[in-house]
Coordinates of all heavy atoms in Angstrom, one line a residue:
M1 N 15.3 7.2 19.3 CA 14.0 6.5 19.7 C 13.4 7.1 20.9 O 14.1 7.6 21.8 CB 14.3 5.0 19.9 CG 15.1 4.3 18.8 SD 14.2 3.9 17.3 CE 12.6 3.5 17.8
S2 N 12.1 7.1 21.0 CA 11.5 7.8 22.1 C 11.5 7.0 23.4 O 11.5 7.6 24.4 CB 10.0 8.1 21.7 OG 9.4 6.9 21.4
D3 N 11.5 5.7 23.3 CA 11.5 4.9 24.5 C 12.9 4.5 24.8 O 13.4 3.5 24.4 CB 10.6 3.7 24.4 CG 10.9 2.8 23.2 OD1 11.5 3.3 22.2 OD2 10.7 1.6 23.3
S4 N 13.6 5.3 25.6 CA 15.0 5.1 25.9 C 15.2 4.1 27.0 O 14.3 4.0 27.9 CB 15.7 6.4 26.2 OG 15.2 6.9 27.4
F5 N 16.2 3.4 27.0 CA 16.6 2.4 28.1 C 18.0 2.7 28.4 O 18.9 2.4 27.7 CB 16.4 1.0 27.6 CG 16.7 0.0 28.6 CD1 15.8 -0.4 29.6 CD2 17.9 -0.7 28.7 CE1 16.0 -1.3 30.6 CE2 18.2 -1.6 29.7 CZ 17.3 -1.9 30.6
A6 N 18.2 3.2 29.6 CA 19.6 3.5 30.1 C 19.9 2.5 31.1 O 19.1 2.0 31.9 CB 19.6 4.9 30.7
L7 N 21.2 2.0 31.1 CA 21.6 1.1 32.1 C 21.7 1.8 33.4 O 22.0 3.0 33.5 CB 23.0 0.6 31.7 CG 23.1 -0.4 30.7 CD1 24.6 -0.7 30.3 CD2 22.5 -1.7 31.1
P8 N 21.3 1.0 34.5 CA 21.5 1.6 35.8 C 23.0 1.9 36.1 O 23.8 1.3 35.5 CB 20.9 0.5 36.7 CG 20.2 -0.4 35.9 CD 20.7 -0.3 34.5
A9 N 23.2 2.7 37.1 CA 24.6 3.0 37.5 C 25.2 1.7 38.0 O 24.5 0.8 38.5 CB 24.6 4.0 38.6
P10 N 26.5 1.6 37.9 CA 27.2 0.3 38.3 C 26.9 -0.1 39.8 O 26.7 -1.3 40.0 CB 28.7 0.7 38.2 CG 28.7 1.7 37.1 CD 27.5 2.5 37.3
G11 N 26.7 0.9 40.7 CA 26.4 0.5 42.0 C 25.0 -0.1 42.1 O 24.8 -1.0 42.9
D12 N 24.1 0.5 41.3 CA 22.7 -0.1 41.3 C 22.7 -1.5 40.8 O 22.0 -2.3 41.3 CB 21.8 0.8 40.5 CG 21.6 2.2 41.2 OD1 21.8 2.3 42.4 OD2 21.2 3.1 40.5
L13 N 23.5 -1.7 39.7 CA 23.5 -3.0 39.1 C 24.1 -4.0 40.1 O 23.6 -5.2 40.2 CB 24.5 -3.0 37.9 CG 23.8 -2.7 36.5 CD1 24.9 -2.8 35.4 CD2 22.7 -3.7 36.2
E14 N 25.1 -3.6 40.9 CA 25.6 -4.5 41.9 C 24.6 -4.8 43.0 O 24.5 -6.0 43.4 CB 26.8 -3.7 42.5 CG 27.6 -4.6 43.5 CD 28.8 -3.8 44.0 OE1 29.5 -3.1 43.3 OE2 29.1 -4.0 45.2
R15 N 23.8 -3.8 43.4 CA 22.8 -4.1 44.4 C 21.7 -5.0 43.8 O 21.2 -5.9 44.5 CB 22.2 -2.8 44.9 CG 23.1 -2.0 45.8 CD 22.4 -0.8 46.5 NE 22.2 0.3 45.6 CZ 23.1 1.2 45.3 NH1 24.3 1.1 45.8 NH2 22.8 2.2 44.4
Y16 N 21.3 -4.8 42.5 CA 20.3 -5.7 41.9 C 20.8 -7.1 41.9 O 20.1 -8.1 42.2 CB 20.0 -5.3 40.5 CG 19.2 -4.0 40.3 CD1 19.5 -3.2 39.2 CD2 18.2 -3.7 41.1 CE1 18.8 -2.0 39.0 CE2 17.5 -2.5 41.0 CZ 17.8 -1.7 39.9 OH 17.0 -0.5 39.7
E17 N 22.1 -7.3 41.6 CA 22.7 -8.6 41.5 C 22.7 -9.3 42.9 O 22.5 -10.5 43.0 CB 24.2 -8.5 41.0 CG 24.8 -9.8 40.7 CD 24.1 -10.6 39.5 OE1 23.5 -10.0 38.7 OE2 24.3 -11.8 39.6
R18 N 22.9 -8.5 44.0 CA 22.9 -9.1 45.3 C 21.5 -9.6 45.7 O 21.4 -10.6 46.3 CB 23.4 -8.1 46.3 CG 24.9 -8.0 46.5 CD 25.3 -7.2 47.7 NE 24.7 -5.9 47.5 CZ 25.3 -4.8 47.7 NH1 26.6 -4.8 48.0 NH2 24.7 -3.6 47.5
V19 N 20.5 -8.8 45.3 CA 19.1 -9.1 45.6 C 18.6 -10.3 44.8 O 18.0 -11.2 45.3 CB 18.2 -7.9 45.5 CG1 16.8 -8.3 45.6 CG2 18.6 -6.8 46.5
L20 N 19.0 -10.2 43.5 CA 18.5 -11.3 42.5 C 19.6 -11.6 41.6 O 19.9 -11.0 40.6 CB 17.3 -10.7 41.7 CG 16.7 -11.6 40.7 CD1 16.0 -12.8 41.4 CD2 15.6 -10.9 39.9
P21 N 20.4 -12.7 42.0 CA 21.5 -13.1 41.2 C 21.2 -13.4 39.7 O 20.1 -13.9 39.4 CB 22.0 -14.4 41.9 CG 21.5 -14.3 43.3 CD 20.2 -13.6 43.2
G22 N 22.0 -12.9 38.9 CA 21.8 -13.0 37.4 C 21.0 -11.8 36.8 O 20.9 -11.7 35.6
S23 N 20.5 -10.9 37.7 CA 19.7 -9.8 37.2 C 20.6 -8.8 36.4 O 20.1 -8.2 35.4 CB 19.0 -9.1 38.3 OG 19.9 -8.6 39.3
A24 N 21.8 -8.6 36.9 CA 22.7 -7.6 36.2 C 22.9 -8.1 34.7 O 22.8 -7.3 33.8 CB 24.0 -7.4 36.9
E25 N 23.2 -9.3 34.6 CA 23.4 -9.9 33.2 C 22.2 -9.7 32.4 O 22.2 -9.4 31.2 CB 23.8 -11.3 33.3 CG 24.2 -11.9 32.0 CD 24.7 -13.4 32.1 OE1 25.3 -13.7 33.2 OE2 24.5 -14.1 31.2
R26 N 21.0 -10.0 32.9 CA 19.8 -9.9 32.2 C 19.5 -8.4 31.8 O 19.0 -8.1 30.7 CB 18.6 -10.4 33.0 CG 18.7 -11.9 33.2 CD 17.7 -12.5 34.2 NE 16.4 -12.1 34.0 CZ 15.4 -12.2 34.9 NH1 15.7 -12.8 36.0 NH2 14.2 -11.8 34.6
I27 N 19.8 -7.5 32.7 CA 19.6 -6.1 32.4 C 20.5 -5.6 31.3 O 20.1 -4.9 30.3 CB 19.8 -5.2 33.7 CG1 18.7 -5.4 34.7 CG2 19.9 -3.7 33.3 CD1 18.9 -4.8 36.0
V28 N 21.8 -6.0 31.3 CA 22.7 -5.7 30.3 C 22.3 -6.3 28.9 O 22.4 -5.7 27.9 CB 24.2 -6.1 30.6 CG1 25.1 -6.0 29.5 CG2 24.7 -5.3 31.8
A29 N 21.8 -7.6 29.0 CA 21.4 -8.2 27.7 C 20.2 -7.5 27.1 O 20.1 -7.3 25.9 CB 21.0 -9.7 28.0
L30 N 19.3 -7.0 28.0 CA 18.1 -6.2 27.5 C 18.6 -5.0 26.9 O 18.1 -4.6 25.8 CB 17.2 -5.9 28.7 CG 15.9 -5.2 28.4 CD1 15.0 -6.0 27.5 CD2 15.2 -4.8 29.7
A31 N 19.6 -4.3 27.4 CA 20.1 -3.1 26.8 C 20.7 -3.4 25.5 O 20.6 -2.6 24.5 CB 21.1 -2.4 27.8
E32 N 21.5 -4.5 25.4 CA 22.1 -4.9 24.1 C 21.0 -5.1 23.0 O 21.1 -4.7 21.9 CB 23.0 -6.1 24.3 CG 24.2 -5.8 25.1 CD 25.0 -7.0 25.4 OE1 24.4 -8.2 25.4 OE2 26.2 -6.9 25.8
Q33 N 20.0 -5.8 23.4 CA 18.9 -6.1 22.5 C 18.2 -4.9 22.0 O 17.9 -4.7 20.8 CB 17.8 -7.0 23.1 CG 18.3 -8.4 23.4 CD 17.3 -9.3 24.2 OE1 16.2 -8.7 24.6 NE2 17.6 -10.5 24.4
K34 N 18.0 -3.9 22.9 CA 17.4 -2.7 22.6 C 18.2 -1.9 21.6 O 17.8 -1.3 20.6 CB 17.1 -1.8 23.8 CG 16.7 -0.4 23.6 CD 15.2 -0.2 23.8 CE 14.8 1.3 23.7 NZ 15.0 1.9 22.4
S35 N 19.5 -1.9 21.9 CA 20.5 -1.2 21.0 C 20.5 -1.8 19.6 O 20.5 -1.1 18.6 CB 21.9 -1.3 21.6 OG 22.8 -0.7 20.8
E36 N 20.5 -3.1 19.5 CA 20.4 -3.8 18.2 C 19.1 -3.5 17.5 O 19.1 -3.2 16.2 CB 20.6 -5.3 18.4 CG 22.0 -5.7 18.8 CD 22.1 -7.2 19.1 OE1 21.1 -7.9 18.9 OE2 23.1 -7.6 19.6
R37 N 18.0 -3.5 18.2 CA 16.7 -3.2 17.6 C 16.7 -1.7 17.1 O 16.2 -1.4 16.0 CB 15.6 -3.4 18.5 CG 14.2 -3.3 17.9 CD 13.1 -3.6 18.9 NE 13.1 -2.8 20.1 CZ 13.3 -3.2 21.3 NH1 13.5 -4.5 21.6 NH2 13.3 -2.4 22.3
D38 N 17.2 -0.8 17.9 CA 17.2 0.6 17.5 C 18.1 0.8 16.2 O 17.7 1.5 15.3 CB 17.8 1.5 18.6 CG 16.9 1.6 19.8 OD1 15.7 1.2 19.6 OD2 17.3 2.2 20.8
L39 N 19.2 0.1 16.1 CA 20.1 0.2 14.9 C 19.3 -0.3 13.7 O 19.4 0.3 12.6 CB 21.4 -0.6 15.2 CG 22.4 -0.5 14.0 CD1 22.8 0.9 13.8 CD2 23.6 -1.4 14.4
W40 N 18.6 -1.5 13.9 CA 17.9 -2.0 12.8 C 16.8 -1.1 12.3 O 16.6 -0.9 11.1 CB 17.2 -3.4 13.2 CG 16.4 -4.0 12.2 CD1 16.9 -4.8 11.2 CD2 15.0 -4.0 12.1 NE1 15.8 -5.2 10.4 CE2 14.7 -4.8 10.9 CE3 14.0 -3.4 12.8 CZ2 13.4 -4.9 10.5 CZ3 12.7 -3.6 12.4 CH2 12.4 -4.3 11.2
V41 N 16.1 -0.4 13.2 CA 15.0 0.5 12.9 C 15.6 1.7 12.1 O 15.1 2.2 11.1 CB 14.2 1.0 14.1 CG1 13.4 2.2 13.8 CG2 13.4 -0.2 14.6
Q42 N 16.8 2.2 12.6 CA 17.4 3.3 11.9 C 17.8 3.0 10.5 O 17.6 3.8 9.6 CB 18.6 3.8 12.7 CG 18.3 4.5 14.0 CD 19.5 4.8 14.9 OE1 20.6 4.4 14.5 NE2 19.3 5.4 16.0
K43 N 18.3 1.8 10.3 CA 18.7 1.4 9.0 C 17.5 1.3 8.1 O 17.5 1.6 6.9 CB 19.4 0.0 9.0 CG 20.8 0.1 9.5 CD 21.5 -1.3 9.5 CE 22.9 -1.2 10.1 NZ 23.5 -2.6 10.1
L44 N 16.4 0.7 8.6 CA 15.1 0.6 7.9 C 14.6 2.0 7.5 O 14.2 2.2 6.3 CB 14.1 -0.2 8.7 CG 12.8 -0.5 8.0 CD1 13.0 -1.5 6.9 CD2 11.8 -1.1 9.1
L45 N 14.6 2.9 8.4 CA 14.1 4.3 8.1 C 15.0 4.9 7.0 O 14.5 5.6 6.2 CB 14.1 5.1 9.4 CG 13.0 4.7 10.4 CD1 13.2 5.5 11.7 CD2 11.6 4.9 9.8
A46 N 16.3 4.7 7.1 CA 17.2 5.3 6.1 C 16.9 4.7 4.7 O 16.9 5.4 3.7 CB 18.7 5.1 6.5
R47 N 16.7 3.4 4.7 CA 16.4 2.8 3.4 C 15.0 3.3 2.8 O 14.9 3.6 1.7 CB 16.3 1.3 3.6 CG 16.1 0.5 2.3 CD 16.1 -1.0 2.5 NE 17.2 -1.4 3.4 CZ 17.0 -2.4 4.3 NH1 15.9 -3.1 4.4 NH2 18.1 -2.8 5.0
E48 N 14.1 3.5 3.7 CA 12.8 4.0 3.3 C 12.9 5.4 2.8 O 12.3 5.8 1.8 CB 11.8 4.0 4.5 CG 10.4 4.6 4.1 CD 9.5 4.8 5.3 OE1 10.0 4.6 6.4 OE2 8.4 5.1 5.1
E49 N 13.8 6.2 3.4 CA 14.0 7.6 3.0 C 14.6 7.6 1.6 O 14.3 8.4 0.7 CB 14.9 8.3 4.0 CG 15.1 9.8 3.6 CD 15.9 10.5 4.7 OE1 15.9 10.1 5.9 OE2 16.7 11.4 4.3
R50 N 15.6 6.8 1.3 CA 16.3 6.7 0.0 C 15.3 6.3 -1.0 O 15.2 6.8 -2.1 CB 17.4 5.7 0.1 CG 18.7 6.3 0.8 CD 19.9 5.4 0.6 NE 19.7 4.0 0.9 CZ 19.9 3.5 2.1 NH1 20.4 4.3 3.1 NH2 19.8 2.2 2.4
L51 N 14.4 5.3 -0.7 CA 13.4 4.9 -1.7 C 12.4 6.0 -2.0 O 12.1 6.2 -3.2 CB 12.7 3.6 -1.2 CG 11.6 3.0 -2.1 CD1 12.2 2.6 -3.4 CD2 10.9 1.9 -1.4
T52 N 12.0 6.7 -1.0 CA 11.0 7.8 -1.2 C 11.7 8.9 -2.1 O 11.0 9.4 -3.0 CB 10.6 8.4 0.2 OG1 10.0 7.4 1.0 CG2 9.7 9.5 0.0
R53 N 12.9 9.2 -1.8 CA 13.6 10.2 -2.6 C 13.7 9.7 -4.1 O 13.5 10.5 -5.0 CB 15.0 10.4 -2.0 CG 15.7 11.6 -2.6 CD 17.0 12.0 -2.0 NE 16.9 12.1 -0.6 CZ 17.7 11.5 0.3 NH1 18.7 10.8 -0.1 NH2 17.5 11.7 1.6
L54 N 14.1 8.5 -4.3 CA 14.2 7.9 -5.6 C 12.9 8.0 -6.4 O 12.8 8.4 -7.5 CB 14.7 6.5 -5.6 CG 14.9 5.8 -6.9 CD1 15.9 6.4 -7.7 CD2 15.2 4.3 -6.6
L55 N 11.8 7.6 -5.7 CA 10.5 7.6 -6.3 C 10.0 9.1 -6.6 O 9.4 9.3 -7.7 CB 9.4 7.0 -5.4 CG 9.6 5.4 -5.3 CD1 8.6 4.9 -4.3 CD2 9.4 4.8 -6.6
S56 N 10.4 10.0 -5.8 CA 10.1 11.4 -6.0 C 10.8 11.9 -7.2 O 10.2 12.6 -8.1 CB 10.5 12.3 -4.8 OG 9.7 11.9 -3.7
Y57 N 12.1 11.6 -7.3 CA 12.9 12.1 -8.5 C 12.3 11.4 -9.8 O 12.3 12.0 -10.8 CB 14.4 11.8 -8.3 CG 15.0 12.6 -7.3 CD1 16.1 12.2 -6.5 CD2 14.6 14.0 -7.0 CE1 16.7 12.9 -5.5 CE2 15.2 14.7 -6.1 CZ 16.3 14.2 -5.3 OH 16.8 15.0 -4.4
G58 N 12.0 10.1 -9.7 CA 11.4 9.4 -10.8 C 10.1 10.1 -11.3 O 9.9 10.3 -12.5
S59 N 9.3 10.4 -10.4 CA 8.0 11.1 -10.7 C 8.2 12.4 -11.4 O 7.6 12.8 -12.3 CB 7.1 11.3 -9.5 OG 6.8 10.0 -8.9
L60 N 9.2 13.2 -10.8 CA 9.5 14.5 -11.4 C 10.1 14.3 -12.8 O 9.7 15.1 -13.7 CB 10.6 15.2 -10.5 CG 11.1 16.5 -11.0 CD1 9.9 17.5 -11.0 CD2 12.2 17.0 -10.1
L61 N 10.9 13.3 -13.0 CA 11.5 13.1 -14.4 C 10.3 12.7 -15.4 O 10.3 13.2 -16.5 CB 12.5 12.0 -14.3 CG 13.2 11.6 -15.6 CD1 14.0 12.8 -16.1 CD2 14.1 10.4 -15.4
I62 N 9.4 11.9 -14.9 CA 8.3 11.5 -15.8 C 7.4 12.7 -16.1 O 7.0 13.0 -17.3 CB 7.5 10.4 -15.2 CG1 8.2 9.1 -15.2 CG2 6.1 10.2 -15.9 CD1 7.6 8.0 -14.3
G63 N 7.2 13.6 -15.1 CA 6.4 14.8 -15.3 C 7.0 15.8 -16.3 O 6.4 16.3 -17.2
V64 N 8.3 16.0 -16.1 CA 9.0 16.9 -17.0 C 9.1 16.3 -18.4 O 8.9 17.1 -19.4 CB 10.5 17.2 -16.4 CG1 11.3 17.9 -17.4 CG2 10.4 18.0 -15.1
S65 N 9.3 15.0 -18.5 CA 9.4 14.4 -19.8 C 8.0 14.5 -20.5 O 8.0 14.8 -21.7 CB 9.7 12.9 -19.7 OG 11.0 12.8 -19.1
G66 N 7.0 14.3 -19.8 CA 5.6 14.5 -20.4 C 5.4 15.9 -20.9 O 4.8 16.1 -21.9
A67 N 5.8 16.9 -20.1 CA 5.6 18.3 -20.5 C 6.5 18.6 -21.7 O 6.0 19.3 -22.6 CB 6.1 19.2 -19.3
C68 N 7.7 18.0 -21.8 CA 8.5 18.3 -23.0 C 7.8 17.7 -24.2 O 7.8 18.3 -25.3 CB 9.9 17.7 -22.8 SG 10.9 18.6 -21.6
V69 N 7.3 16.5 -24.1 CA 6.6 15.8 -25.2 C 5.4 16.6 -25.6 O 5.1 16.8 -26.8 CB 6.3 14.3 -24.9 CG1 5.3 13.7 -25.9 CG2 7.5 13.5 -24.7
G70 N 4.7 17.1 -24.7 CA 3.5 17.9 -25.0 C 3.8 19.2 -25.7 O 3.2 19.5 -26.7
F71 N 4.9 19.9 -25.2 CA 5.3 21.1 -25.9 C 5.8 20.8 -27.3 O 5.5 21.5 -28.2 CB 6.4 21.8 -25.1 CG 5.9 22.6 -23.9 CD1 6.4 22.4 -22.7 CD2 4.9 23.6 -24.1 CE1 5.9 23.1 -21.6 CE2 4.5 24.4 -23.1 CZ 4.9 24.1 -21.8
A72 N 6.6 19.7 -27.4 CA 7.1 19.4 -28.8 C 5.9 19.1 -29.7 O 5.9 19.5 -30.9 CB 8.0 18.2 -28.7
A73 N 4.9 18.4 -29.3 CA 3.8 18.1 -30.1 C 3.0 19.3 -30.5 O 2.6 19.5 -31.6 CB 2.9 17.1 -29.4
F74 N 2.9 20.2 -29.5 CA 2.2 21.5 -29.7 C 2.9 22.3 -30.8 O 2.3 22.8 -31.7 CB 2.0 22.3 -28.4 CG 1.4 23.6 -28.6 CD1 0.1 23.8 -28.9 CD2 2.3 24.8 -28.5 CE1 -0.4 25.1 -29.0 CE2 1.8 26.0 -28.7 CZ 0.4 26.2 -29.0
F75 N 4.2 22.5 -30.6 CA 5.0 23.3 -31.5 C 5.1 22.7 -32.9 O 5.2 23.4 -33.9 CB 6.3 23.7 -30.9 CG 6.3 24.7 -29.9 CD1 6.6 24.5 -28.6 CD2 5.8 26.0 -30.2 CE1 6.5 25.4 -27.6 CE2 5.7 27.0 -29.2 CZ 6.1 26.7 -27.9
A76 N 5.1 21.4 -32.9 CA 5.2 20.7 -34.2 C 3.9 21.0 -35.0 O 4.0 21.2 -36.2 CB 5.4 19.2 -34.0
K77 N 2.8 21.0 -34.3 CA 1.5 21.3 -35.0 C 1.4 22.7 -35.4 O 0.9 23.1 -36.4 CB 0.4 20.9 -34.0 CG -0.9 20.8 -34.7 CD -1.8 20.0 -33.8 CE -3.0 19.5 -34.5 NZ -3.0 18.1 -34.8
V78 N 2.0 23.6 -34.5 CA 1.9 25.1 -34.8 C 2.8 25.4 -36.1 O 2.4 26.2 -37.0 CB 2.4 25.9 -33.6 CG1 2.7 27.4 -34.0 CG2 1.4 25.8 -32.5
F79 N 4.0 24.8 -36.2 CA 4.9 25.1 -37.2 C 4.7 24.2 -38.5 O 5.4 24.3 -39.5 CB 6.3 25.0 -36.8 CG 6.7 26.1 -35.8 CD1 7.0 25.8 -34.5 CD2 6.7 27.4 -36.2 CE1 7.4 26.7 -33.6 CE2 7.1 28.4 -35.3 CZ 7.4 28.1 -34.0
E80 N 3.7 23.4 -38.4 CA 3.4 22.5 -39.5 C 2.8 23.2 -40.7 O 3.0 22.8 -41.8 CB 2.3 21.4 -39.0 CG 2.1 20.3 -39.9 CD 1.2 19.3 -39.2 OE1 0.0 19.4 -39.4 OE2 1.7 18.4 -38.5
H81 N 2.1 24.3 -40.5 CA 1.5 25.0 -41.6 C 2.4 25.9 -42.3 O 3.3 26.4 -42.4 CB 0.3 25.9 -41.1 CG -0.7 25.1 -40.4 ND1 -1.3 24.0 -41.0 CD2 -1.3 25.2 -39.2 CE1 -2.2 23.5 -40.2 NE2 -2.2 24.2 -39.1

């Protein structure tokens, strides 16, 4: 993901906590939420990629099948006489 969120160093977290009690827990919770969201987005993108690949192969199969039917119809007409 382009917008990264890195946890502050432990010493920095300790200083934040001294200045604003509860802030270290909030920062860690924010990092956990970001991690969960990133994982969800990665799964969604992987699913989209699989679907795109499936649709591409399906389109290719339909195109090749159509070409085979066309050739068969053409040759059936040619050899009909």
